[in-house]
Amino acid sequence: MNILVIGNGFDLAHGLPTKYENFLKFINTYRENRDILKNEQSIKEKLENYDGENKNYLIFLKNLSEKKAVFSELDKLIKNNIWIEYFLSVYRDRKKAGKDGWIDFERGISEVIQSLDNDMHGLSGEGSIDDDISLLSNNFFDKKYFEYSSVNQSFVALTEGEVQTISFREIRNVLLNDLNKLIRALEIYLTAYVNEVQCNEELSIIKNIFEKRDEQGKKIVINTKILSFNYTTTFNRIYKQNFDIDYIHGEAKINNTIETNNMVLGIDEYLPKKRKNKETEFIAFKKFYQRIHKGTGCKYKEWIDIIKEEFADYQVELEKSKKEKNVMNLKAAINKLKKQYLSQHHVYIFGHSLDVTDKDILRDLILNDNVYTTIYYHNKDAMGQQIANLVKVIGQDELIRRTGGSTKTIEFKQQ
């Protein structure tokens, strides 16, 4: 069985603007020009000062403004969205500091949620979701909600003003509601804009995974399972193969709503074992919860079951051979079994950072002795980061065992 695992690097390799930075630029272009989109002269003047990506976004937004339903929805999703405010703030801070525009929504969400969780429980660890907030450890949110903090309210009470408080539950609910709005806005960007961007042509390195030539030179298409961590349908759009695709993080569709959207944008489990099954106040932000709640499906689990069942068959036959064969024939029998059962399955990973947030899925795929895994990397720096991430996913000892010698089941290849 062939399994091709694709991450956002797959879309980027085909020339598509699918970084979170691209989405933020799109949102920023919208916010800057919302009030003039129907003014031909103002748009013309703006276009003269824009170039490249921003120019394309403005032209698209002008056309989108004529589609009242989608434009109105996008407007409501973006307006006063706390996550958009937060990420644009982070983005601007990076640019002011002379850094690039790289930004990671998942990491940002995780930092915010963990800071709120820690603030809620406090030093005693006995806090409640219904407690009113005091000072918050995240600077952006502390400024955002300072007027409701107990510190400020104590001052208000002294001046005989009306005391207004806000609880961690109320903030949590705002964050969750606005996260769903952010995800739907991202879905509109991906389906209405990115899907219309001209793609680069097929990559031979991808095509060679599922397309071979026999001895006579006749083309053979190898049935390949696709495990996509992307929301886009780029693989089908370019390669036009009728392969089984598992959109593990959901599939973007323009006709969705906030309620029907099934895109997963969440965080990894951060609580220790003793706490994670008890403290569920922020569980809705976690990927595993979103996958279940949004029903993204787990086709890949069926593929893994087949792989594991075949390895179990190998172990049964191996034990039989050890009992039935003499020493002289045992080695030959084992080699025959290895050829028959081991390395029959190949996992190809392209454009995925191997981030620990996808640890459970990656471990299921990689940690099988009858699976050979090829990990493609963009450059040496990217490879170094992938190795570091893989240590977090499967552990240092397992990585060393699987990348060399007779137990080798993992190799890295440059794109």
CSV table of all heavy atoms in Angstrom, one decimal, residues 186-231:
chain,number,residue,atom,x,y,z
A,186,LEU,N,-11.3,31.8,6.8
A,186,LEU,CA,-10.2,31.1,6.1
A,186,LEU,C,-10.7,30.2,5.0
A,186,LEU,O,-10.1,30.1,3.9
A,186,LEU,CB,-9.4,30.3,7.1
A,186,LEU,CG,-8.2,29.5,6.6
A,186,LEU,CD1,-7.2,30.4,5.9
A,186,LEU,CD2,-7.5,28.7,7.7
A,187,GLU,N,-11.8,29.6,5.3
A,187,GLU,CA,-12.5,28.7,4.3
A,187,GLU,C,-12.9,29.5,3.1
A,187,GLU,O,-12.7,29.0,1.9
A,187,GLU,CB,-13.7,28.0,4.9
A,187,GLU,CG,-14.3,27.0,4.0
A,187,GLU,CD,-15.4,26.2,4.7
A,187,GLU,OE1,-16.2,26.7,5.5
A,187,GLU,OE2,-15.5,24.9,4.4
A,188,ILE,N,-13.4,30.7,3.3
A,188,ILE,CA,-13.8,31.5,2.1
A,188,ILE,C,-12.6,31.9,1.3
A,188,ILE,O,-12.6,31.9,0.1
A,188,ILE,CB,-14.6,32.7,2.6
A,188,ILE,CG1,-16.0,32.3,3.2
A,188,ILE,CG2,-14.8,33.8,1.5
A,188,ILE,CD1,-16.8,33.4,3.8
A,189,TYR,N,-11.5,32.3,2.0
A,189,TYR,CA,-10.3,32.7,1.4
A,189,TYR,C,-9.7,31.5,0.5
A,189,TYR,O,-9.4,31.7,-0.7
A,189,TYR,CB,-9.2,33.1,2.4
A,189,TYR,CG,-7.8,33.3,1.9
A,189,TYR,CD1,-7.5,34.4,1.1
A,189,TYR,CD2,-6.8,32.3,2.1
A,189,TYR,CE1,-6.2,34.5,0.6
A,189,TYR,CE2,-5.6,32.5,1.7
A,189,TYR,CZ,-5.2,33.6,0.8
A,189,TYR,OH,-4.0,33.7,0.3
A,190,LEU,N,-9.7,30.3,1.1
A,190,LEU,CA,-9.2,29.2,0.3
A,190,LEU,C,-10.0,28.8,-0.9
A,190,LEU,O,-9.5,28.4,-1.9
A,190,LEU,CB,-9.0,28.0,1.3
A,190,LEU,CG,-8.0,28.2,2.4
A,190,LEU,CD1,-8.1,27.0,3.4
A,190,LEU,CD2,-6.6,28.3,1.9
A,191,THR,N,-11.3,28.8,-0.7
A,191,THR,CA,-12.2,28.3,-1.8
A,191,THR,C,-12.5,29.4,-2.8
A,191,THR,O,-12.5,29.1,-4.0
A,191,THR,CB,-13.5,27.8,-1.2
A,191,THR,OG1,-14.1,28.8,-0.3
A,191,THR,CG2,-13.3,26.6,-0.4
A,192,ALA,N,-12.7,30.6,-2.4
A,192,ALA,CA,-13.1,31.7,-3.4
A,192,ALA,C,-11.8,32.3,-4.0
A,192,ALA,O,-11.9,32.7,-5.2
A,192,ALA,CB,-13.9,32.8,-2.7
A,193,TYR,N,-10.7,32.4,-3.3
A,193,TYR,CA,-9.5,33.0,-3.8
A,193,TYR,C,-8.4,32.0,-4.3
A,193,TYR,O,-8.1,31.9,-5.4
A,193,TYR,CB,-8.9,34.0,-2.8
A,193,TYR,CG,-7.7,34.7,-3.4
A,193,TYR,CD1,-7.8,35.7,-4.3
A,193,TYR,CD2,-6.4,34.3,-3.0
A,193,TYR,CE1,-6.6,36.3,-4.8
A,193,TYR,CE2,-5.3,34.9,-3.5
A,193,TYR,CZ,-5.4,35.9,-4.4
A,193,TYR,OH,-4.3,36.5,-5.0
A,194,VAL,N,-7.9,31.2,-3.3
A,194,VAL,CA,-6.8,30.3,-3.6
A,194,VAL,C,-7.2,29.3,-4.7
A,194,VAL,O,-6.3,29.0,-5.5
A,194,VAL,CB,-6.3,29.6,-2.3
A,194,VAL,CG1,-5.3,28.5,-2.6
A,194,VAL,CG2,-5.8,30.6,-1.3
A,195,ASN,N,-8.4,28.8,-4.7
A,195,ASN,CA,-8.8,27.8,-5.7
A,195,ASN,C,-8.8,28.3,-7.1
A,195,ASN,O,-8.9,27.6,-8.0
A,195,ASN,CB,-10.1,27.1,-5.3
A,195,ASN,CG,-10.0,26.0,-4.3
A,195,ASN,OD1,-8.9,25.6,-3.9
A,195,ASN,ND2,-11.1,25.5,-3.8
A,196,GLU,N,-8.8,29.6,-7.2
A,196,GLU,CA,-8.8,30.3,-8.5
A,196,GLU,C,-7.4,30.7,-9.0
A,196,GLU,O,-7.3,31.1,-10.1
A,196,GLU,CB,-9.8,31.5,-8.5
A,196,GLU,CG,-11.2,31.2,-8.2
A,196,GLU,CD,-11.8,30.1,-9.1
A,196,GLU,OE1,-11.6,30.3,-10.3
A,196,GLU,OE2,-12.5,29.2,-8.6
A,197,VAL,N,-6.5,30.6,-8.1
A,197,VAL,CA,-5.1,30.9,-8.4
A,197,VAL,C,-4.5,29.8,-9.3
A,197,VAL,O,-4.7,28.6,-9.1
A,197,VAL,CB,-4.2,31.1,-7.2
A,197,VAL,CG1,-2.7,31.3,-7.6
A,197,VAL,CG2,-4.7,32.2,-6.3
A,198,GLN,N,-3.8,30.2,-10.4
A,198,GLN,CA,-3.2,29.3,-11.3
A,198,GLN,C,-2.2,28.5,-10.6
A,198,GLN,O,-1.2,29.0,-10.0
A,198,GLN,CB,-2.6,30.0,-12.5
A,198,GLN,CG,-2.1,29.1,-13.6
A,198,GLN,CD,-3.1,28.2,-14.3
A,198,GLN,OE1,-4.2,28.7,-14.5
A,198,GLN,NE2,-2.8,27.0,-14.5
A,199,CYS,N,-2.3,27.1,-10.7
A,199,CYS,CA,-1.3,26.3,-10.0
A,199,CYS,C,-0.1,26.0,-10.9
A,199,CYS,O,-0.2,26.1,-12.1
A,199,CYS,CB,-1.9,24.9,-9.7
A,199,CYS,SG,-3.1,24.9,-8.4
A,200,ASN,N,1.1,25.7,-10.2
A,200,ASN,CA,2.2,25.2,-11.0
A,200,ASN,C,1.8,23.8,-11.5
A,200,ASN,O,0.9,23.2,-11.0
A,200,ASN,CB,3.4,25.1,-10.0
A,200,ASN,CG,4.0,26.4,-9.7
A,200,ASN,OD1,3.6,27.5,-10.3
A,200,ASN,ND2,4.9,26.5,-8.7
A,201,GLU,N,2.6,23.4,-12.4
A,201,GLU,CA,2.3,22.1,-13.1
A,201,GLU,C,2.6,20.9,-12.1
A,201,GLU,O,3.2,21.1,-11.0
A,201,GLU,CB,3.1,21.9,-14.4
A,201,GLU,CG,2.7,22.9,-15.4
A,201,GLU,CD,3.5,22.8,-16.7
A,201,GLU,OE1,4.4,21.9,-16.7
A,201,GLU,OE2,3.2,23.5,-17.7
A,202,GLU,N,2.3,19.7,-12.5
A,202,GLU,CA,2.6,18.5,-11.7
A,202,GLU,C,4.0,18.4,-11.4
A,202,GLU,O,4.9,18.8,-12.2
A,202,GLU,CB,2.2,17.3,-12.5
A,202,GLU,CG,0.7,17.1,-12.9
A,202,GLU,CD,0.5,15.9,-13.8
A,202,GLU,OE1,1.4,15.6,-14.5
A,202,GLU,OE2,-0.6,15.4,-13.8
A,203,LEU,N,4.3,18.0,-10.2
A,203,LEU,CA,5.7,17.7,-9.7
A,203,LEU,C,6.0,16.3,-10.0
A,203,LEU,O,5.3,15.4,-9.7
A,203,LEU,CB,5.8,18.0,-8.2
A,203,LEU,CG,5.5,19.4,-7.7
A,203,LEU,CD1,5.7,19.5,-6.2
A,203,LEU,CD2,6.4,20.5,-8.4
A,204,SER,N,7.2,16.1,-10.7
A,204,SER,CA,7.6,14.7,-11.1
A,204,SER,C,7.8,13.9,-9.9
A,204,SER,O,7.5,12.7,-9.8
A,204,SER,CB,8.8,14.7,-12.0
A,204,SER,OG,9.9,15.4,-11.3
A,205,ILE,N,8.3,14.5,-8.8
A,205,ILE,CA,8.6,13.8,-7.6
A,205,ILE,C,7.3,13.2,-6.9
A,205,ILE,O,7.3,12.1,-6.3
A,205,ILE,CB,9.4,14.7,-6.6
A,205,ILE,CG1,10.1,13.8,-5.5
A,205,ILE,CG2,8.4,15.7,-5.9
A,205,ILE,CD1,11.0,14.6,-4.6
A,206,ILE,N,6.2,13.9,-7.1
A,206,ILE,CA,4.9,13.4,-6.6
A,206,ILE,C,4.4,12.4,-7.6
A,206,ILE,O,3.9,11.3,-7.2
A,206,ILE,CB,3.9,14.6,-6.5
A,206,ILE,CG1,4.4,15.5,-5.4
A,206,ILE,CG2,2.5,14.0,-6.1
A,206,ILE,CD1,4.4,14.9,-4.0
A,207,LYS,N,4.4,12.7,-8.9
A,207,LYS,CA,3.9,11.8,-9.9
A,207,LYS,C,4.5,10.4,-9.9
A,207,LYS,O,3.9,9.4,-10.1
A,207,LYS,CB,4.0,12.5,-11.3
A,207,LYS,CG,3.0,11.9,-12.3
A,207,LYS,CD,3.0,12.7,-13.5
A,207,LYS,CE,2.0,12.2,-14.6
A,207,LYS,NZ,2.0,13.0,-15.8
A,208,ASN,N,5.9,10.4,-9.6
A,208,ASN,CA,6.6,9.2,-9.6
A,208,ASN,C,6.2,8.3,-8.4
A,208,ASN,O,6.6,7.1,-8.4
A,208,ASN,CB,8.1,9.5,-9.6
A,208,ASN,CG,8.6,10.0,-10.9
A,208,ASN,OD1,8.0,9.9,-11.9
A,208,ASN,ND2,9.8,10.7,-10.8
A,209,ILE,N,5.5,8.8,-7.4
A,209,ILE,CA,5.1,8.0,-6.3
A,209,ILE,C,4.0,7.0,-6.8
A,209,ILE,O,4.0,5.8,-6.4
A,209,ILE,CB,4.6,8.9,-5.2
A,209,ILE,CG1,5.8,9.6,-4.5
A,209,ILE,CG2,3.8,8.0,-4.1
A,209,ILE,CD1,5.3,10.6,-3.5
A,210,PHE,N,3.1,7.5,-7.6
A,210,PHE,CA,2.0,6.6,-8.0
A,210,PHE,C,2.0,6.2,-9.5
A,210,PHE,O,1.1,5.5,-9.9
A,210,PHE,CB,0.7,7.3,-7.7
A,210,PHE,CG,0.4,8.6,-8.3
A,210,PHE,CD1,-0.1,8.7,-9.6
A,210,PHE,CD2,0.7,9.8,-7.7
A,210,PHE,CE1,-0.3,9.9,-10.3
A,210,PHE,CE2,0.5,11.0,-8.3
A,210,PHE,CZ,0.0,11.1,-9.6
A,211,GLU,N,3.0,6.7,-10.3
A,211,GLU,CA,3.0,6.4,-11.7
A,211,GLU,C,4.3,5.7,-12.0
A,211,GLU,O,5.4,6.4,-11.9
A,211,GLU,CB,2.8,7.6,-12.5
A,211,GLU,CG,2.5,7.3,-14.0
A,211,GLU,CD,2.1,8.6,-14.7
A,211,GLU,OE1,1.0,9.1,-14.5
A,211,GLU,OE2,2.9,9.1,-15.5
A,212,LYS,N,4.3,4.5,-12.5
A,212,LYS,CA,5.5,3.8,-12.9
A,212,LYS,C,5.4,3.3,-14.3
A,212,LYS,O,4.4,3.4,-15.0
A,212,LYS,CB,5.7,2.6,-11.9
A,212,LYS,CG,5.7,2.9,-10.4
A,212,LYS,CD,6.8,3.7,-10.0
A,212,LYS,CE,6.7,3.9,-8.5
A,212,LYS,NZ,7.8,4.8,-7.9
A,213,ARG,N,6.5,2.8,-14.8
A,213,ARG,CA,6.6,2.2,-16.1
A,213,ARG,C,7.0,0.7,-16.0
A,213,ARG,O,7.9,0.4,-15.3
A,213,ARG,CB,7.6,2.9,-17.0
A,213,ARG,CG,7.3,4.4,-17.2
A,213,ARG,CD,6.3,4.6,-18.3
A,213,ARG,NE,5.8,6.0,-18.5
A,213,ARG,CZ,5.0,6.4,-19.4
A,213,ARG,NH1,4.5,5.6,-20.2
A,213,ARG,NH2,4.7,7.7,-19.4
A,214,ASP,N,6.3,-0.2,-16.8
A,214,ASP,CA,6.8,-1.6,-16.7
A,214,ASP,C,7.9,-1.8,-17.7
A,214,ASP,O,8.4,-0.8,-18.3
A,214,ASP,CB,5.6,-2.5,-17.1
A,214,ASP,CG,5.0,-2.3,-18.5
A,214,ASP,OD1,5.7,-1.6,-19.3
A,214,ASP,OD2,3.9,-2.7,-18.7
A,215,GLU,N,8.3,-3.0,-17.9
A,215,GLU,CA,9.5,-3.3,-18.7
A,215,GLU,C,9.3,-2.9,-20.1
A,215,GLU,O,10.3,-2.6,-20.9
A,215,GLU,CB,9.9,-4.8,-18.6
A,215,GLU,CG,10.3,-5.2,-17.2
A,215,GLU,CD,10.6,-6.7,-17.1
A,215,GLU,OE1,10.4,-7.4,-18.1
A,215,GLU,OE2,11.1,-7.1,-16.1
A,216,GLN,N,8.1,-2.9,-20.6
A,216,GLN,CA,7.8,-2.5,-21.9
A,216,GLN,C,7.5,-1.0,-22.1
A,216,GLN,O,7.2,-0.4,-23.2
A,216,GLN,CB,6.5,-3.2,-22.4
A,216,GLN,CG,6.7,-4.7,-22.7
A,216,GLN,CD,6.8,-5.5,-21.5
A,216,GLN,OE1,6.1,-5.3,-20.5
A,216,GLN,NE2,7.8,-6.4,-21.5
A,217,GLY,N,7.7,-0.2,-21.0
A,217,GLY,CA,7.5,1.2,-21.0
A,217,GLY,C,6.0,1.6,-20.9
A,217,GLY,O,5.7,2.8,-21.0
A,218,LYS,N,5.2,0.7,-20.6
A,218,LYS,CA,3.8,1.0,-20.4
A,218,LYS,C,3.5,1.7,-19.0
A,218,LYS,O,4.0,1.2,-18.0
A,218,LYS,CB,2.9,-0.2,-20.6
A,218,LYS,CG,1.4,0.0,-20.5
A,218,LYS,CD,0.6,-1.3,-20.7
A,218,LYS,CE,-0.9,-1.0,-20.6
A,218,LYS,NZ,-1.6,-2.3,-20.7
A,219,LYS,N,2.7,2.7,-19.0
A,219,LYS,CA,2.4,3.4,-17.8
A,219,LYS,C,1.5,2.6,-16.9
A,219,LYS,O,0.5,2.1,-17.3
A,219,LYS,CB,1.8,4.8,-18.1
A,219,LYS,CG,1.5,5.6,-16.8
A,219,LYS,CD,1.0,7.0,-17.1
A,219,LYS,CE,-0.4,7.0,-17.6
A,219,LYS,NZ,-1.0,8.3,-17.8
A,220,ILE,N,1.9,2.5,-15.6
A,220,ILE,CA,1.1,1.8,-14.6
A,220,ILE,C,0.8,2.8,-13.5
A,220,ILE,O,1.7,3.4,-12.9
A,220,ILE,CB,1.8,0.6,-14.0
A,220,ILE,CG1,2.2,-0.4,-15.1
A,220,ILE,CG2,1.0,-0.1,-12.9
A,220,ILE,CD1,3.1,-1.5,-14.7
A,221,VAL,N,-0.5,3.0,-13.1
A,221,VAL,CA,-0.9,3.8,-12.0
A,221,VAL,C,-1.1,3.0,-10.8
A,221,VAL,O,-1.8,2.0,-10.8
A,221,VAL,CB,-2.1,4.6,-12.3
A,221,VAL,CG1,-2.6,5.4,-11.1
A,221,VAL,CG2,-1.9,5.6,-13.5
A,222,ILE,N,-0.3,3.3,-9.7
A,222,ILE,CA,-0.4,2.5,-8.5
A,222,ILE,C,-1.4,3.2,-7.6
A,222,ILE,O,-1.3,4.4,-7.3
A,222,ILE,CB,1.0,2.5,-7.8
A,222,ILE,CG1,2.1,1.9,-8.7
A,222,ILE,CG2,0.9,1.7,-6.5
A,222,ILE,CD1,3.5,2.0,-8.3
A,223,ASN,N,-2.4,2.4,-7.2
A,223,ASN,CA,-3.4,3.0,-6.3
A,223,ASN,C,-2.7,3.5,-5.0
A,223,ASN,O,-2.0,2.8,-4.3
A,223,ASN,CB,-4.4,1.9,-5.9
A,223,ASN,CG,-5.6,2.5,-5.1
A,223,ASN,OD1,-5.9,3.6,-5.3
A,223,ASN,ND2,-6.2,1.7,-4.3
A,224,THR,N,-2.9,4.7,-4.7
A,224,THR,CA,-2.3,5.4,-3.6
A,224,THR,C,-3.3,6.1,-2.7
A,224,THR,O,-4.2,6.8,-3.2
A,224,THR,CB,-1.2,6.4,-4.1
A,224,THR,OG1,-0.3,5.7,-4.9
A,224,THR,CG2,-0.5,7.1,-3.0
A,225,LYS,N,-3.2,5.9,-1.4
A,225,LYS,CA,-4.0,6.6,-0.5
A,225,LYS,C,-3.4,7.9,-0.2
A,225,LYS,O,-2.2,8.1,0.0
A,225,LYS,CB,-4.1,5.8,0.9
A,225,LYS,CG,-4.5,4.3,0.7
A,225,LYS,CD,-5.9,4.1,0.2
A,225,LYS,CE,-6.3,2.6,0.2
A,225,LYS,NZ,-7.6,2.4,-0.3
A,226,ILE,N,-4.3,8.9,-0.1
A,226,ILE,CA,-3.8,10.3,0.2
A,226,ILE,C,-4.3,10.7,1.6
A,226,ILE,O,-5.5,10.7,1.8
A,226,ILE,CB,-4.3,11.3,-0.8
A,226,ILE,CG1,-4.1,10.8,-2.2
A,226,ILE,CG2,-3.7,12.7,-0.6
A,226,ILE,CD1,-2.6,10.6,-2.6
A,227,LEU,N,-3.4,11.0,2.5
A,227,LEU,CA,-3.7,11.6,3.8
A,227,LEU,C,-3.4,13.1,3.8
A,227,LEU,O,-2.2,13.4,3.8
A,227,LEU,CB,-3.0,10.9,4.9
A,227,LEU,CG,-3.2,11.4,6.3
A,227,LEU,CD1,-4.7,11.3,6.7
A,227,LEU,CD2,-2.4,10.6,7.4
A,228,SER,N,-4.4,13.9,3.7
A,228,SER,CA,-4.2,15.3,3.5
A,228,SER,C,-4.4,16.1,4.8
A,228,SER,O,-5.5,16.0,5.4
A,228,SER,CB,-5.1,15.9,2.5
A,228,SER,OG,-4.9,17.3,2.3
A,229,PHE,N,-3.4,16.8,5.3
A,229,PHE,CA,-3.5,17.7,6.4
A,229,PHE,C,-4.0,19.1,6.0
A,229,PHE,O,-4.1,20.0,6.8
A,229,PHE,CB,-2.2,17.8,7.2
A,229,PHE,CG,-1.9,16.6,8.0
A,229,PHE,CD1,-1.3,15.5,7.5
A,229,PHE,CD2,-2.2,16.6,9.3
A,229,PHE,CE1,-1.0,14.4,8.2
A,229,PHE,CE2,-1.9,15.5,10.1
A,229,PHE,CZ,-1.3,14.4,9.6
A,230,ASN,N,-4.2,19.2,4.6
A,230,ASN,CA,-4.6,20.5,4.1
A,230,ASN,C,-6.1,20.6,4.0
A,230,ASN,O,-6.8,19.5,4.0
A,230,ASN,CB,-4.0,20.7,2.7
A,230,ASN,CG,-2.5,20.7,2.7
A,230,ASN,OD1,-1.9,21.0,3.7
A,230,ASN,ND2,-1.8,20.4,1.6
A,231,TYR,N,-6.6,21.8,3.8
A,231,TYR,CA,-8.1,22.0,3.6
A,231,TYR,C,-8.4,22.0,2.2
A,231,TYR,O,-9.6,21.9,1.8
A,231,TYR,CB,-8.5,23.3,4.3
A,231,TYR,CG,-8.1,23.5,5.7
A,231,TYR,CD1,-7.3,24.6,6.0
A,231,TYR,CD2,-8.5,22.7,6.7
A,231,TYR,CE1,-6.9,24.8,7.3
A,231,TYR,CE2,-8.0,22.9,8.0
A,231,TYR,CZ,-7.3,24.0,8.3
A,231,TYR,OH,-6.8,24.2,9.6
